[in-house]
Amino acid sequence: MKVQEFKLATPQEGMIDITAQVRQMLCDSGIYTGLCTVFCPHTTAAITTNENADPDVVSDFLLGLGKAYPDRPEFNHCEGNSAAHLKSSAIGCSQTFIIEEGRLMLGTWQGIYFCEFDGPRSRRFLVKIMDGNK
């Protein structure tokens, strides 16, 4: 199956639940078993899996990252977004999911998030579904 590109308009900082888009692509693919990779081709954004039932998890997640990776006056990067680069690298640019019986094998409370650390911007993420029967 070909790679599918999705576009997003992001806030200054935030986590956008993209689970529905990924599930819809899987449904449209007709693939019953395999793997699904979600990839972010940006250096100041990321992809993660986390709880999507309680919105406080997202705000706590962003608060924790802000404390762990604060902006510092001693950073030299000319664009002034070094903290965003650190957050992106710490979280990672991709996640891979198992597909079984035509479903993503996510836990009960799990969702897939596009994480923005340097917005607002026009962003994209890529999804590749691999058929386990081929």
Side-chain angles (χ1 to χ4, degrees):
M1 176 158 215
K2 285 187 169 183
V3 172
Q4 186 167 337
E5 178 179 280
F6 294 86
K7 296 189 183 211
L8 297 170
T10 63
Q12 182 174 354
E13 184 173 72
M15 294 171 62
I16 300 158
D17 188 339
I18 59 172
T19 312
Q21 292 103 308
V22 177
R23 279 190 170 134
Q24 185 61 55
M25 182 181 170
L26 175 58
C27 182
D28 294 346
S29 77
I31 291 175
Y32 192 72
T33 185
L35 295 172
C36 173
T37 298
V38 182
F39 176 75
C40 170
H42 304 287
T43 61
T44 57
I47 301 292
T48 196
T49 305
N50 215 306
E51 181 177 328
N52 68 352
D54 180 354
D56 287 338
V57 171
V58 168
S59 59
D60 290 349
F61 188 91
L62 293 171
L63 177 67
L65 283 175
K67 296 234 182 236
Y69 302 99
D71 194 20
R72 298 184 172 275
E74 61 266 31
F75 285 152
N76 293 315
H77 183 45
C78 64
E79 289 182 33
N81 60 357
S82 291
H85 286 286
L86 290 168
K87 292 172 187 176
S88 173
S89 287
I91 302 306
C93 64
S94 69
Q95 294 272 296
T96 299
F97 305 95
I98 297 167
I99 300 165
E100 196 62 47
E101 297 180 3
R103 295 186 339 233
L104 294 172
M105 294 282 89
L106 292 171
T108 301
W109 308 111
Q110 287 183 320
I112 307 165
Y113 286 97
F114 183 96
C115 305
E116 175 61 74
F117 303 122
D118 190 35
R121 293 184 185 256
S122 293
R123 297 289 201 176
R124 64 192 182 107
F125 65 93
L126 308 171
V127 179
K128 172 77 174 179
I129 297 175
M130 291 148 285
D131 191 337
N133 292 318
K134 292 187 179 181

